[in-house]
């Protein structure tokens, strides 16, 4: 083959690649969070930003102030008016956000739900941990720590969100598959650590012989630790199971305050959510449901998980 023909083909390939990059850069992706600022969401949001930067798209990041549905609805309406190419969103309320999402989809804007599902609206894709599967493992672990007749305290997430409901349902399924005669005391929260602490303090007063405190997220586990300290209990006297694999949760484990964690691949959730939104905006076919995976972290494997997941860089305990 002549050098001229080779150079010609190389130029054509570079030109095509340039067109593809230009197309990606022309896309505007809105990333709308639920307003949560805990460690888990810091990692999720960081993954989203990194994915957008790598792709070279125009990235608009907005949050529902104070986690209010009305604020998030207004943000989606604004993104429709601005004619963004795709929206990646962590809904404040799975059902409440549906009208705005239906309007966005009708306007030709692809919508990807991130971490939390959306009910009552047809969306492009849902990117998240399989919460039921991960919580099943958490519940199964809890079952192994108790005997029939024992008490387990369960700190819920927001039951108005699919994530909160799925984690509770999955936990109970895993627990009851092994232990059917266990008393479960719910501590209701809306992903609020102070609510978790106050609720666990009250639950421990009325259930002083509780064996396990299982939590729908690591902020709840931190609240449970504070409640135990308030009650004069030592680390490990009541076993704590977290959910997320956040830096704070894993630090708790290193200190002996957490005995198990249904860990998500947090940064991956945000990254894949935005990558999926970009792909859909570029006309590519994407899967309707993408599971970003989970892992049961125990004291025996916490160091390896921290290293492999990238969470270790944010931990205080090395």
């Amino acid at each position: 083959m002549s050098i001229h023909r080779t150079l010609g083909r190389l130029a054509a390939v570079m030109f095509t690649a340039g067109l593809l990059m230009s197309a990606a850069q022309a896309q505007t992706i809105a990333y709308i969070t639920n307003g949560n600022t805990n460690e888990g969401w810091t990692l999720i949001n960081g993954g989203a930003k990194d994915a957008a930067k790598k792709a070279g798209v125009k990235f608009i990041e907005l949050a529902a102030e104070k986690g209010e549905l009305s604020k998030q609805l207004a943000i989606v309406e604004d993104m429709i008016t601005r004619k963004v190419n795709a929206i990646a969103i962590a809904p404040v309320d799975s059902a409440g956000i549906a009208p705005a999402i239906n309007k966005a989809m009708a306007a030709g804007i692809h919508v990807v739900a991130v971490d939390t599902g959306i009910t009552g609206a047809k969306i492009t894709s849902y990117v998240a941990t399989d919460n039921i599967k991960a919580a099943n493992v958490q519940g199964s672990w809890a079952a192994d720590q108790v005997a029939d007749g024992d008490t387990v305290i369960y700190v819920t997430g927001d039951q108005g969100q699919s994530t909160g409901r799925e984690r509770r349902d999955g936990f109970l399924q895993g627990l009851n598959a092994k232990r059917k005669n266990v008393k479960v005391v719910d501590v209701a929260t809306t992903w609020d650590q102070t609510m978790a602490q106050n609720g666990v303090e009250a639950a421990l007063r009325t259930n002083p012989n509780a064996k396990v405190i299982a939590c729908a997220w690591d902020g709840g586990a931190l609240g449970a630790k504070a409640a135990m300290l308030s009650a004069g209990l030592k680390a490990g006297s009541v076993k704590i199971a977290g959910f997320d694999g956040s830096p704070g949760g894993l630090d708790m484990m290193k200190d002996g305050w957490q005995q198990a964690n249904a860990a998500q691949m947090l940064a991956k959730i945000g990254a894949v959510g935005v990558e999926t939104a970009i792909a859909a905006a570029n006309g590519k076919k994407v899967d309707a449901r993408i599971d970003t995976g989970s892992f049961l972290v125990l004291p025996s494997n916490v160091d390896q998980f921290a290293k492999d997941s990238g969470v270790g860089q944010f931990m205080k305990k090395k």
Side-chain angles (χ1 to χ4, degrees):
M1 182 183 294
S2 72
I3 188 170
H4 295 293
R5 185 178 299 175
T6 301
L7 289 173
R9 290 188 176 182
L10 179 59
V13 169
M14 293 178 66
F15 177 73
T16 302
L19 287 177
L20 291 174
M21 180 60 75
S22 296
Q25 290 176 340
Q27 303 293 352
T28 299
I29 308 299
Y31 177 65
I32 307 170
T33 76
N34 53 24
N36 283 329
T37 57
N38 60 47
E39 292 174 324
W41 276 101
T42 297
L43 286 166
I44 293 173
N45 296 341
K49 293 176 187 176
D50 289 344
K53 183 177 180 181
K54 183 177 179 180
V57 298
K58 182 177 180 182
F59 187 63
I60 302 173
E61 182 180 8
L62 297 163
E65 185 181 348
K66 298 180 180 179
E68 293 181 14
L69 175 61
S70 61
K71 302 288 179 62
Q72 197 170 54
L73 287 167
I75 291 171
V76 175
E77 290 284 352
D78 184 42
M79 293 304 100
I80 295 171
T81 301
R82 293 168 66 171
K83 298 181 180 180
V84 299
N85 300 103
I87 294 172
I89 183 170
V92 168
D93 184 303
S94 295
I97 199 67
I101 296 306
N102 280 323
K103 186 174 179 180
M105 291 288 290
I109 299 172
H110 293 282
V111 177
V112 176
V114 177
D115 183 73
T116 301
I118 296 172
T119 55
K122 182 179 180 181
I123 59 175
T124 305
S125 183
Y126 173 31
V127 176
T129 303
D130 184 331
N131 286 301
I132 291 179
K133 180 179 178 181
N136 254 273
V137 175
Q138 186 191 44
S140 179
W141 175 88
D144 291 337
Q145 315 307 311
V146 299
D148 287 347
D150 282 344
T151 298
V152 171
I153 296 171
Y154 183 75
V155 181
T156 79
D158 190 341
Q159 296 301 288
Q161 295 179 347
S162 64
T163 300
R165 294 193 301 271
E166 289 170 359
R167 291 184 187 180
R168 181 178 182 276
D169 290 347
F171 174 81
L172 292 175
Q173 289 171 13
L175 176 68
N176 293 330
K178 288 185 175 180
R179 296 286 181 192
K180 297 185 183 302
N181 299 315
V182 174
K183 178 182 177 182
V184 178
V185 177
D186 271 0
V187 171
T189 83
T190 54
W191 309 112
D192 183 272
Q193 185 172 319
T194 301
M195 289 178 69
Q197 178 180 343
N198 293 340
V200 172
E201 286 179 356
L204 286 172
R205 282 195 295 270
T206 54
N207 300 275
N209 295 318
K211 303 298 183 184
V212 171
I213 305 171
C215 306
W217 88 111
D218 277 340
L222 289 165
K225 173 187 173 181
M228 286 179 62
L229 285 169
S230 178
L233 298 174
K234 295 181 179 180
S237 58
V238 181
K239 296 180 179 179
I240 297 177
F243 196 121
D244 274 338
S246 71
L250 300 189
D251 279 334
M252 279 181 64
M253 186 174 289
K254 297 278 283 186
D255 281 338
W257 279 99
Q258 191 176 115
Q259 285 68 47
N261 194 294
Q264 305 184 82
M265 309 306 174
L266 293 165
K268 184 178 179 181
I269 294 171
V272 175
V274 169
E275 289 168 358
T276 302
I278 294 169
N282 285 324
K284 296 180 180 178
K285 181 177 175 58
V286 299
D287 291 336
R289 177 66 171 95
I290 300 174
D291 176 16
T292 47
S294 59
F295 185 82
L296 182 65
V297 181
L298 302 169
S300 60
N301 60 30
V302 60
D303 289 332
Q304 191 63 50
F305 175 81
K307 179 182 177 181
D308 293 345
S309 66
V311 173
Q313 62 184 308
F314 302 107
M315 292 173 62
K316 295 177 181 177
K317 303 289 182 177
K318 304 299 182 183

